[in-house]
Amino acid sequence: MHGPVSTAWLLVALCAVTGAYCLLRMRSAVEEQRRAAGGEALMGFGMAAMAVPAAVFTPPRWAWPVYAAVFGAAAVRALWTARGAPHHLHHLVGSAAMVYMAAAMAASPPAAHHVHGGTGVPVLTGALLLYFTGYVLLSGARLVPAAPGGAAGPARWGDRPELARACRLSMGIGMVAMLLTM
């Protein structure tokens, strides 16, 4: 990731914590929630690894095609899952964005990893930025409760829908930040 080192470390922390919470959500009793949490954990940890400042660690050239393959497989899985549940299309877009960023990093010369800009296709980057910005705004609006209401009882940490939404919101914000630096 390009940009200030302190910003990159904040993004690494945000994505790693989000990935860790998604692992916790995988312990849910609800199968659909477990499945979605697994993909989101992969996305969170993948984004954290990709956001590590190049000044600290520059992955070897072979790492980017591996990233593209892993997230390509995640995109195929999301496409398969979206057949029955269209809300999984967001996972498809997120995985495809990770494939795109990994491919852009693989195609860029090693010196370009340390300077801002110049990687990726501007039109595709812009389209992804529009999508994720809209997603962040919509997710943020969904976090605001419509009316005060009492919960039926204390929910387990992995089964709290507001935390799952906050997790998705933070990953969307992270994706916007990563796309802005391309």
Side-chain angles (χ1 to χ4, degrees):
M1 185 176 139
H2 314 297
V5 174
S6 59
T7 304
W9 282 119
L10 288 173
L11 185 57
V12 168
L14 174 73
C15 294
V17 167
T18 300
Y21 176 70
C22 290
L23 285 178
L24 180 64
R25 285 182 40 227
M26 288 180 68
R27 296 176 42 191
S28 172
V30 180
E31 182 181 349
E32 175 64 26
Q33 189 167 328
R34 282 193 311 266
R35 225 179 287 135
E40 291 167 1
L42 174 67
M43 182 70 68
F45 289 127
M47 289 173 62
M50 195 178 274
V52 172
V56 174
F57 175 71
T58 302
R61 298 291 291 167
W62 57 263
W64 299 116
V66 170
Y67 256 78
V70 167
F71 284 101
V76 169
R77 184 178 183 281
L79 181 62
W80 182 259
T81 306
R83 292 175 310 120
H87 65 273
H88 285 285
L89 288 173
H90 172 70
H91 292 244
L92 174 63
V93 175
S95 295
M98 292 293 282
V99 169
Y100 166 66
M101 288 188 287
M105 293 304 284
S108 68
H113 294 221
H114 299 285
V115 295
H116 176 64
T119 60
V121 180
V123 173
L124 186 51
T125 303
L128 288 169
L129 270 170
L130 283 174
Y131 172 81
F132 283 104
T133 300
Y135 181 80
V136 164
L137 293 173
L138 184 62
S139 295
R142 287 181 179 163
L143 277 176
V144 177
R156 293 176 30 182
W157 278 102
D159 293 326
R160 306 219 16 198
E162 70 279 7
L163 291 177
R165 282 188 220 115
C167 171
R168 292 182 192 112
L169 173 65
S170 64
M171 281 195 291
I173 291 168
M175 192 64 78
V176 168
M178 291 175 78
L179 288 166
L180 281 173
T181 62
M182 286 194 71

